[in-house]
């Protein structure tokens, strides 16, 4: 005689969390963002370079005879070095207008034999150069590279020495001359406050001095803005939704759905209709009483009966995977032959 165990164990609705997967690696650091470079404001810095120049000289012997003369031209060359001070006004589309001045000590000099007998010595030395200029620049895309042209006034001291044979004395002439200068160059912002530049200039101080000068420089910008904040880190993907598990329990050796089980099936059907359509997994199980073959067939009947009930409530059969697991995967592990109520069940899993 078989004993029936009542279905007093009420059907349960379980919401279980999916097991956490392996921890995802941290996102890579955000790229540095240079942003738009601000060239406006005051700047100053040193410069150094060199130049090639041409200079002229003319000497007439002293009174009363004034019979000895020397005149001609000299080729000069040498280094220059000093400092620059300027201010930029920046406009839209990367254009700027600037005012710049510099002062450089100069070693541009040269000498040669001169005079009618080529025994005289003529020497010319540029002692210093100063300029006051306007500057027009363009930084493509408002970026770190600035192209510019420049032009304005120029001043310099030219020392000319003509030494004639005795008894004619030596003649020295220190003259501050004025003229103009023009040139072009490029400047690159290498950090929030620092830039490097290369520049060519032509300087004309009249017949006494004209030069081609190349300069490199380093400028410090006083109003450099702070670097832009880094790009916000990408938000990690939200964890997947935990699957919903509905459990329908059965009486011993039965595949008939109890009233409590019908309520659980109704809840599963309602959840299916309330969310996006998903494929339900309907899996039947048994306890460990009876033979494995019998239990496998019983689990399949239980699963099929639950699937039919879901279909009657509007869940398409095509959206269900129906299977039986027999006495495998016990909810409560037991020894063979044990009639455990919680192992006699059908699980409805909604991903």
């Amino acid at each position: 005689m078989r004993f029936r165990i009542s279905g007093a164990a009420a059907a349960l609705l379980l919401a279980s969390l999916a097991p956490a997967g392996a921890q995802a690696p941290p996102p890579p650091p955000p790229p540095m963002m240079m942003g738009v470079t601000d060239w406006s404001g005051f700047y100053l810095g040193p410069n150094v370079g060199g130049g090639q120049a041409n200079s002229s000289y003319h000497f007439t012997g002293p009174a009363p005879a004034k019979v000895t003369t020397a005149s001609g031209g000299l080729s000069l060359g040498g280094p220059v070095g000093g400092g620059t001070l300027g201010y930029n006004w920046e406009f839209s589309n990367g254009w700027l207008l600037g005012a710049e001045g510099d002062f450089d000590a100069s070693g541009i000099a040269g000498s040669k034999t001169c005079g009618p007998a080529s025994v005289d010595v003529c020497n010319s030395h540029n002692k210093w150069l100063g300029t006051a200029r306007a500057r027009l620049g363009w930084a493509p895309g408002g970026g770190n590279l600035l192209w510019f042209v420049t032009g304005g006034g120029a001043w310099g001291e030219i020392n000319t020495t003509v030494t004639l044979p005795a008894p004619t004395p030596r003649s020295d002439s220190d003259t501050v001359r004025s003229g103009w200068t023009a040139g072009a160059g490029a400047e690159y912002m290498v950090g929030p406050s620092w830039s490097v530049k290369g520049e060519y200039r032509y300087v004309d101080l009249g017949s006494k001095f004209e030069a081609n000068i190349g300069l490199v420089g380093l400028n410090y910008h006083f109003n450099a803005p702070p670097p832009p904040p880094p790009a916000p880190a990408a938000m990690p993907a939200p964890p997947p939704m935990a699957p919903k598990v509905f459990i329908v329990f059965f009486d011993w050796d039965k595949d008939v759905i109890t009233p409590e089980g019908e309520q659980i099936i109704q809840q599963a059907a309602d959840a299916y209709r309330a969310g996006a359509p998903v494929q339900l997994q309907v899996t039947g199980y048994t306890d460990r009483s009876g033979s494995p073959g019998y239990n496998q067939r019983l689990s399949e009947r239980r699963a099929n009966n639950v699937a039919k009930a879901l279909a009657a409530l509007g869940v398409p059969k095509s959206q269900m995977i129906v299977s039986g697991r027999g006495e495998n995967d016990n909810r409560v592990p037991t020894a063979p032959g044990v009639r455990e109520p919680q192992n006699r069940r059908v699980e409805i899993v909604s991903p």
Side-chain angles (χ1 to χ4, degrees):
M1 177 178 178
R2 293 185 175 176
F3 295 91
R4 170 183 289 188
I5 298 179
S6 170
L12 302 178
L13 169 63
L14 302 178
S16 59
L17 293 176
Q23 184 176 3
M32 295 297 293
M33 297 177 61
M34 287 301 295
V36 177
T37 301
D38 184 5
W39 289 91
S40 61
F42 282 104
Y43 60 92
L44 62 80
N47 60 58
V48 66
Q52 296 291 325
N54 295 313
S55 180
S56 64
Y57 61 88
H58 179 80
F59 174 77
T60 300
K66 295 185 179 181
V67 294
T68 303
T69 62
S71 62
L74 288 171
S75 294
L76 315 178
V80 294
T84 300
L85 174 66
Y87 189 92
N88 290 323
W89 293 268
E90 189 166 5
F91 304 99
S92 61
N93 300 322
W95 289 95
L96 66 81
L97 181 65
E100 187 174 272
D102 57 13
F103 184 87
D104 294 281
S106 174
I108 299 176
S111 64
K112 72 173 185 178
T113 57
C114 57
S118 295
V119 295
D120 311 325
V121 177
C122 300
N123 177 281
S124 184
H125 177 200
N126 170 222
K127 292 185 173 182
W128 57 264
L129 279 172
T131 68
R133 296 167 283 106
R135 193 167 77 144
L136 176 64
W138 178 56
N144 293 346
L145 178 62
L146 175 71
W147 301 96
F148 64 86
V149 293
T150 183
W155 298 264
E157 182 176 354
I158 312 298
N159 174 259
T160 302
T161 301
V162 179
T163 303
L164 303 178
T168 306
R170 165 177 166 160
S171 171
D172 293 323
S173 173
D174 287 305
T175 304
V176 176
R177 302 184 67 86
S178 62
W180 60 275
T181 182
E187 190 168 356
Y188 189 82
M189 194 73 71
V190 295
S193 301
W194 294 95
S195 66
V196 293
K197 71 174 182 179
E199 183 175 356
Y200 162 79
R201 269 190 245 149
Y202 175 78
V203 178
D204 189 333
L205 301 181
S207 61
K208 282 290 185 181
F209 186 82
E210 57 180 351
N212 295 286
I213 296 175
L215 293 167
V216 293
L218 176 69
N219 288 330
Y220 179 81
H221 298 257
F222 287 93
N223 71 327
M235 294 298 293
M241 294 292 293
K244 296 179 180 179
V245 181
F246 302 85
I247 301 181
V248 180
F249 290 103
F250 289 80
D251 292 335
W252 180 77
D253 196 29
K254 298 295 182 182
D255 59 16
V256 178
I257 301 171
T258 65
E260 294 89 346
E262 291 176 353
Q263 295 177 11
I264 297 301
I265 294 171
Q266 180 67 59
Q267 294 176 19
D270 292 343
Y272 172 84
R273 290 192 297 268
V278 295
Q279 196 166 49
L280 302 180
Q281 298 176 5
V282 182
T283 309
Y285 302 90
T286 69
D287 59 26
R288 301 193 66 185
S289 63
S291 68
Y294 179 84
N295 288 338
Q296 176 64 34
R297 293 188 294 273
L298 177 58
S299 69
E300 293 173 359
R301 292 198 304 272
R302 288 172 175 172
N304 286 323
N305 288 343
V306 170
K308 291 176 183 177
L310 286 169
L313 293 173
V315 179
K317 291 182 179 180
S318 60
Q319 292 298 101
M320 291 184 280
I321 300 176
V322 183
S323 63
R325 293 283 294 152
E327 60 184 57
N328 299 301
D329 304 328
N330 291 162
R331 196 159 184 264
V332 178
T334 67
V338 176
R339 301 176 181 181
E340 171 56 50
Q342 293 199 49
N343 291 340
R344 303 192 296 264
R345 70 200 190 279
V346 168
E347 293 184 357
I348 307 169
V349 180
S350 173

